[in-house]
Amino acid sequence: AQSVTQPDIHITVSEGASLELRCNYSYGATPYLFWYVQSPGQGLQLLLKYFSGDTLVQGIKGFEAEFKRSQSSFNLRKPSVHWSDAAEYFCAVGGSGYSTLTFGKGTMLLVSP
Amino acid sequence: NAGVTQNPKFQVLKTGQSMTLQCAQDMNHNSMYWYRQDPGMGLRLIYYSASEGTTDKGEVPNGYNVSRLNKREFSLRLESAAPSQTSVYFCASSVGQGDQPQHFGDGTRLSIL
């Protein structure tokens, strides 16, 4: 069965510092991988996705993620965090077809001044 | 551009009552989804619809029914609400048939007493 693990429930980063959110997945075939962000009281917004090709993918809001097949990871990064990045971040894995998308439990990002 | 609109935003029900959660998208998307989000659980797919006139069960369909009324609207019905259905419900949509969800509504916060 497919699964996603986000090992960090909460992360606190100083404004202007770099960020890396971890995501490990389990999937029997070539995965489709996603990162979503959820601001308080709102729905999820798709940040970026990986289907195939270049293992470093660029997303919106200055985020990027790197697919590492050997480590079954898809970590999200940002060089310099802004206070507006404080939110909850979800990693998700699936195959072709919407019915197979599995979400991680989320990582809450707190940004300190 | 409204995107995905959900109504109501909040609702309190008594056990055994019924209600319908409304969702509409104005992006001419083919696929629509209903998820529930519970603390520490990520999102779980309840039902999805690849196109007008088709619906399929997701991971947690028990206790729910859906209707894809037309291309714009996808409603979720609780026939006899139970406390275990207390959750935040998100509707989502995507362009193609079989795409992963791209746009989410702001959610319906449902409490069942």
Side-chain angles (χ1 to χ4, degrees):
Chain A
Q2 63 197 58
S3 65
V4 175
T5 301
Q6 293 180 247
D8 303 303
I9 297 173
H10 297 97
I11 281 186
T12 300
V13 175
S14 298
E15 190 169 15
S18 63
L19 170 70
E20 183 170 30
L21 300 182
R22 295 183 291 166
C23 173
N24 292 97
Y25 68 89
S26 173
Y27 193 76
T30 299
Y32 290 13
L33 293 158
F34 306 80
W35 275 101
Y36 292 85
V37 59
Q38 184 179 31
S39 297
Q42 296 187 12
L44 278 69
Q45 181 180 22
L46 180 63
L47 281 176
L48 48 79
K49 59 187 176 183
Y50 171 79
F51 287 170
S52 64
D54 191 347
T55 57
L56 184 64
V57 293
Q58 303 297 319
I60 61 172
K61 304 186 179 189
F63 285 93
E64 66 178 27
E66 186 172 12
F67 170 57
K68 293 186 177 180
R69 184 187 300 275
S70 62
Q71 299 178 18
S72 297
S73 69
F74 188 58
N75 294 349
L76 182 71
R77 302 193 294 246
K78 187 170 185 178
S80 177
V81 169
H82 188 263
W83 63 266
S84 61
D85 293 324
E88 191 160 19
Y89 292 79
F90 292 92
C91 181
V93 66
S96 58
Y98 31 72
S99 63
T100 62
L101 191 62
T102 298
F103 286 82
K105 295 182 179 181
T107 297
M108 181 67 72
L109 173 65
L110 307 174
V111 180
S112 60
Chain B
N1 186 1
V4 178
T5 303
Q6 292 184 236
N7 284 297
K9 301 289 191 287
F10 302 91
Q11 185 70 50
V12 179
L13 293 178
K14 295 180 179 179
T15 298
Q17 287 185 316
S18 63
M19 81 161 294
T20 300
L21 279 61
Q22 308 287 350
C23 174
Q25 52 90 9
D26 61 1
M27 297 170 284
N28 202 35
H29 283 178
N30 285 292
S31 297
M32 297 185 74
Y33 317 80
W34 276 106
Y35 287 88
R36 61 177 290 173
Q37 183 179 34
D38 301 292
M41 297 286 290
L43 272 76
R44 293 180 292 171
L45 182 65
I46 305 171
Y47 271 93
Y48 60 94
S49 170
S51 62
E52 183 180 351
T54 67
T55 61
D56 285 283
K57 295 178 179 179
E59 181 184 355
V60 288
N62 291 344
Y64 305 95
N65 286 298
V66 291
S67 295
R68 184 74 182 266
L69 304 170
N70 48 55
K71 194 171 186 179
R72 290 188 63 249
E73 298 172 290
F74 188 40
S75 62
L76 178 71
R77 183 161 179 83
L78 285 70
E79 291 291 351
S80 179
S84 61
Q85 294 177 303
T86 293
S87 188
V88 182
Y89 291 85
F90 288 99
C91 179
S93 70
S94 60
V95 173
Q97 299 181 20
D99 282 351
Q100 305 295 353
Q102 296 167 298
H103 298 270
F104 283 76
D106 288 340
T108 294
R109 284 145 185 84
L110 181 62
S111 292
I112 299 162
L113 307 177

